[in-house]
Amino acid sequence: MLERILSYIADGPPAPVPHPDSIALRREIAAAALMVEAARLDQKFDEAERAAITRAVSSHFKLTPEEAAELVAVAEKSERRSYHPWAFIQAVKRGFNLEERKELLQALWEVAYADGALHKFEVHLVNHICQELELSQEACEAARKRAETAARP
């Protein structure tokens, strides 16, 4: 996993006909980068949020804890280099089916709730991503409620 990630960073985008692993890796990085973006919006990116992202990518992409931590580290670097989440949203939109997009939406809400407070910028970003991923407002609200329930002690 680490070799794939380092290769992707060092070599840039894959050749015109990418290997399926490259496509999967781009999807994974894009999803994790959107979660990092959501976590950073309130200017307090802490270990609780990083742990929530790591759990989400580990579960969703069936990664070991070490692989998930590596993916989150790469996503953090990728997100820092991007000025807008548009590229990540487009990668998710092209690479995820409807159910996967709904799962990602719930993961984004879980990350937003991970630090115990929901910031208005986090709400705006997740709602924006919901629209860009062509998910209904009902799906967005249902994902938010599931995440809010999961965040309660």
Side-chain angles (χ1 to χ4, degrees):
M1 174 75 169
L2 181 58
E3 289 177 19
R4 289 186 341 188
I5 294 169
L6 293 174
S7 173
Y8 183 84
I9 292 171
D11 301 334
V17 181
H19 187 274
D21 283 348
S22 298
I23 293 168
L25 182 57
R26 276 189 295 197
R27 274 176 19 125
E28 293 168 4
I29 291 171
L34 288 174
M35 290 183 227
V36 169
E37 174 77 12
R40 285 193 173 145
L41 278 177
D42 64 0
Q43 305 298 312
K44 299 177 207 161
F45 185 42
D46 62 19
E47 284 308 311
E49 291 168 315
R50 184 174 283 110
I53 297 168
T54 303
R55 279 191 308 276
V57 298
S58 178
S59 171
H60 187 78
F61 300 121
K62 297 174 181 39
L63 301 174
T64 67
E66 295 78 20
E67 291 171 332
E70 290 172 12
L71 177 62
V72 171
V74 170
E76 287 182 52
K77 290 177 185 171
S78 295
E79 188 273 336
R80 268 189 228 117
R81 285 185 288 184
S82 178
Y83 295 110
H84 194 276
W86 183 85
F88 302 125
I89 292 170
Q90 293 306 307
V92 167
K93 189 174 179 179
R94 286 189 308 269
F96 283 52
N97 65 37
L98 179 62
E99 283 307 309
E100 290 172 323
R101 291 193 314 260
K102 287 179 181 178
E103 289 172 13
L104 174 62
L105 188 63
Q106 182 170 339
L108 286 165
W109 283 119
E110 288 172 3
V111 169
Y113 279 109
D115 63 359
L118 188 60
H119 193 277
K120 66 181 179 180
F121 293 150
E122 294 168 326
V123 172
H124 176 75
L125 176 69
V126 178
N127 283 326
H128 173 73
I129 291 170
C130 180
Q131 288 176 328
E132 290 295 319
L133 296 180
E134 299 176 353
L135 297 171
S136 69
Q137 191 57 42
E138 292 81 21
C140 188
E141 188 60 24
R144 186 193 63 76
K145 286 181 180 176
R146 285 190 305 274
E148 182 179 24
T149 300
R152 290 187 192 136

